[in-house]
Structure formats: C-alpha cells, structure tokens
Amino acid sequence: MKFKIGITMGDPAGIGAEVTIKALCDKKLYEKCIPIVYGDYLPILDAIEFCNTKQKINVIDSIDEAIDEYGTINLLPFHVINNKKDWEYKTVSATCGKASFTYIVNAIKDAMKNRIDAVVTGPINKESLFLAGYHYSGHTEIFADYTNTKKYSMLLTSGNLRVIHVTTHVPLRTACDLIKKERVLDVINLANTTMKSLGFIHPKIGVSGLNPHSSENGLFGDEESKEIIPAINEAKKVGINVDGPIPPDTIFVKAMAGMYDIVVAMYHDQGHIPLKLSGFKLDIKTNKYVSMSGVNSTIGLPIIRTSVDHGTAFGKAGEGRANEESMIEAIKMAIQFASNKD
C-alpha cells in the first residue's frame, strides 16, 4: 500500500519549495508514498528551474487526480501566488503569510476527511503569518486549533534522540509557570503512546528536570518536588516505564547512549538545543549546513503531522543551496506513522 502524503510548500519567500522539490528527487520515497504538494505553481516551477532538477509538474484539482510517477510532482495549487510580483525571496510579506496559511489549513482539512494519510509541512515565517492576520505562534498551534485538539505536544527526532516538550513557544518566564503536574503527566502519556505507535512495546521514558541539577533537593527551586515528581509517580502507577527527574545537563547524553527511548523536556530550548546539536552540522568555511537532520511532529492530533526542523532560511532562499535532508526525513517519518496507524 502506498500512502498519500500531503506536503505543504511553506512560505514562498523561503526555502520551502526548494527543499520540497529536492526531497522529491529521492526515488525511494515513491516506493512507499504518493506525494501531493499543497502550494502554488510559480514558486515550484522556479525552484525546479534554478535547481535544474528537470521534474514535471502535474497540476491537479483534487487528490484523486494525483499520479504515482517518479519525476512528476503532483501539485494542488491555491492561486495565492499568481505572478512573479506576488512574492520575493528573502522578504517578509502578508501575501506569503496568506499563502503558507492557505496551504496548511487545506492540507489539514483533507487529512481530517481521510483524503490524504499524513501532512508534512514546509517552513513558514511567523512575521509574514501575523502580517496576513493569522495570529498563531507556529504550525503546532494551527494544527491544534483546526483539529480541535486540547492535549498535544511537539516531538523532535534526530537519529536515536527523541524529545517531546511540556511547553514550547512561550517566554521562558511563562514556561516556568506552565510546569504543572497535570501537563507533565499529559506529555508523559503522549510520549508513551507515540513510542508505542512507532513500534516500541515498552518504551523507556526519561523526564528532565526544570532547574539545574533537578533542583538539588530544593536548593535551586521546587518545581521538581511540587509538579514533576508527582506526575512521574502517577505515570508509574499505571505501568508506564518512566524515570526522573533527570538533571537537564545529563539526560540527553543518557538518551543518546540508549538509556531512554524518549526524553520529556520542560521547555523549548531545553529540547531543541541538544536535538539540533545532534542533527545539524555547519561548515564554517562555506557557511553552509552539510547536515540538517531532524524532524518535528505534532503529537496528540487526530491526524499525522510531521515537519522539517528548520526555518525559512531567508538568507539562502532562491539560491539553490538549501539542504533537503530534514524534508526527506519528515516524509519518511510521516510514512512510518501512517504504517503503524490503527
């Protein structure tokens, strides 16, 4: 069985179209899926031309018209970008914000109606999104809103390192206030369910502390004793294989060594920094990323959503030097989730 994977192009002014068409040069992806790009014709055509990939574009009006043919990109256009004046690489604009939002919500609608098996998202620019009147802090919040999901979390993966977050796009001061027993327990449960959906029978979950040394028995804070430990104890009562709180400066080392299958991180940068240190490699001589391994998934939704783990990279947009590795991995992850879906 081949899965229909919807790929949202992302902000036209960024590298979304480029990493999409480059990823779809990987013939192995077509062995397990039929990719369908949610975007607009001109940015996709331009990316094909400046990358010289020689792919064909199959413009479709509905998912049923998608064809299973390597070298051909199935494109579902939304006609927000209709001429070259509608977008400019490296530039924040309301038009590009409207375009990226339109691609996303239509892919969500199709996934909710089971027309596609999963959604893979390209990078968006939050400032452009706001200029267009869409006040969301990121993809995760859009997907949660449009699927009416209350309990969800961000999962990052790179190699054998998997990190799920208790809080994400909020100020650090706010994140500390959001570390509550109920939320920590919800994320532990999401971690357990997610790992089982990926084939782990009895996953090992490590929970990070919030404070240095996990507060050193109260010397550096009380969030561990008041909120995190009670959540861990509740999870253990129902048979979840969970450990913690582990000091934040060692838990990721232990996870990469295989001690834990997944880490519950307390806030955005606590989880993102080790993940990107693991998956991103920069060549300072060329100022080019030679590796951008990493996938972002939204966990807890009624549909499957994975994403590249990088931004729009305006600095290199339209130049043909963007790295498609994360997009390839995001598509593979979407296929893996779809394969294990009940």
Side-chain angles (χ1 to χ4, degrees), residues 166 178-190 192 205-208 222-245 264 266:
V166 174
L178 293 174
I179 305 301
K180 299 297 182 184
K181 173 189 170 182
E182 292 77 12
R183 174 58 182 168
V184 176
L185 182 57
D186 284 343
V187 176
I188 292 172
N189 283 318
L190 287 171
N192 192 52
I205 302 168
V207 178
S208 175
D222 58 10
E223 288 84 1
E224 282 78 9
S225 61
K226 287 186 175 181
E227 311 294 346
I228 300 174
I229 292 174
I232 292 170
N233 289 338
E234 285 291 318
K236 286 180 177 179
K237 287 179 182 178
V238 295
I240 296 177
N241 185 9
V242 59
D243 186 24
V264 175
M266 291 299 123

Side-chain angles (χ1 to χ4, degrees), residues 25-317:
C25 288
D26 187 333
K27 193 172 185 178
K28 290 184 178 180
L29 293 178
Y30 285 77
E31 294 175 3
K32 295 185 178 180
C33 79
I34 301 173
I36 298 145
V37 177
Y38 288 65
D40 273 317
Y41 183 81
L42 287 178
I44 292 294
L45 177 63
D46 197 46
I48 290 171
E49 289 179 346
F50 68 68
C51 292
N52 195 30
T53 58
K54 305 187 187 305
Q55 291 152 302
K56 300 176 184 177
I57 302 175
N58 177 39
V59 178
I60 61 178
D61 293 319
S62 69
I63 301 300
D64 294 337
E65 296 176 8
I67 61 175
D68 181 12
E69 181 181 279
Y70 173 69
T72 297
I73 294 175
N74 294 301
L75 173 66
L76 193 60
F78 291 90
H79 309 291
V80 182
I81 305 296
N82 295 305
N83 59 68
K84 292 188 176 180
K85 293 182 180 179
D86 287 337
W87 98 101
E88 182 179 351
Y89 292 116
K90 313 175 191 295
T91 304
V92 171
S93 77
T95 300
C96 287
K98 179 182 178 181
S100 60
F101 189 80
T102 301
Y103 310 150
I104 295 164
V105 295
N106 279 279
I108 293 171
K109 290 176 183 177
D110 282 346
M112 291 291 285
K113 293 178 180 178
N114 295 315
R115 293 172 180 162
I116 55 177
D117 297 295
V119 181
V120 178
T121 56
I124 59 175
N125 181 279
K126 295 178 181 63
E127 188 176 351
S128 293
L129 206 65
F130 271 60
L131 284 175
Y134 307 114
H135 298 287
Y136 292 91
S137 56
H139 274 109
T140 303
E141 292 74 20
I142 297 172
F143 273 79
D145 190 15
Y146 276 78
T147 61
N148 195 30
T149 303
K150 303 303 180 186
K151 295 181 180 181
Y152 59 91
S153 186
M154 177 188 294
L155 171 72
L156 301 180
T157 60
S158 177
N160 70 335
L161 180 60
R162 305 170 191 88
V163 184
I164 192 166
H165 295 69
V166 174
T167 69
T168 49
H169 297 120
V170 295
L172 186 55
R173 290 182 183 276
T174 304
C176 295
D177 294 333
L178 293 174
I179 305 301
K180 299 297 182 184
K181 173 189 170 182
E182 292 77 12
R183 174 58 182 168
V184 176
L185 182 57
D186 284 343
V187 176
I188 292 172
N189 283 318
L190 287 171
N192 192 52
T193 302
T194 299
M195 295 308 294
K196 287 184 175 180
S197 74
L198 292 174
F200 290 75
I201 297 172
H202 197 44
K204 298 173 292 185
I205 302 168
V207 178
S208 175
L210 173 67
N211 298 295
H213 306 287
S214 288
S215 85
E216 197 79 51
N217 293 320
L219 288 177
F220 310 125
D222 58 10
E223 288 84 1
E224 282 78 9
S225 61
K226 287 186 175 181
E227 311 294 346
I228 300 174
I229 292 174
I232 292 170
N233 289 338
E234 285 291 318
K236 286 180 177 179
K237 287 179 182 178
V238 295
I240 296 177
N241 185 9
V242 59
D243 186 24
I246 313 299
D249 59 352
T250 59
I251 190 170
F252 300 100
V253 177
K254 292 178 178 180
M256 292 187 70
M259 187 175 293
Y260 303 114
D261 297 313
I262 187 169
V263 173
V264 175
M266 291 299 123
Y267 58 91
H268 184 281
D269 284 11
Q270 187 185 72
H272 278 64
I273 291 172
L275 196 291
K276 292 191 175 182
L277 184 62
S278 167
F280 285 29
K281 300 291 183 292
L282 178 68
D283 184 341
I284 60 171
K285 293 181 180 179
T286 61
N287 196 32
K288 181 178 179 180
Y289 283 100
V290 294
S291 174
M292 293 186 73
S293 171
V295 178
N296 179 337
S297 306
T298 305
I299 303 304
L301 301 174
I303 61 176
I304 297 166
R305 180 256 168 168
T306 67
S307 178
V308 295
D309 189 31
H310 58 72
T312 49
F314 277 0
K316 63 179 72 171

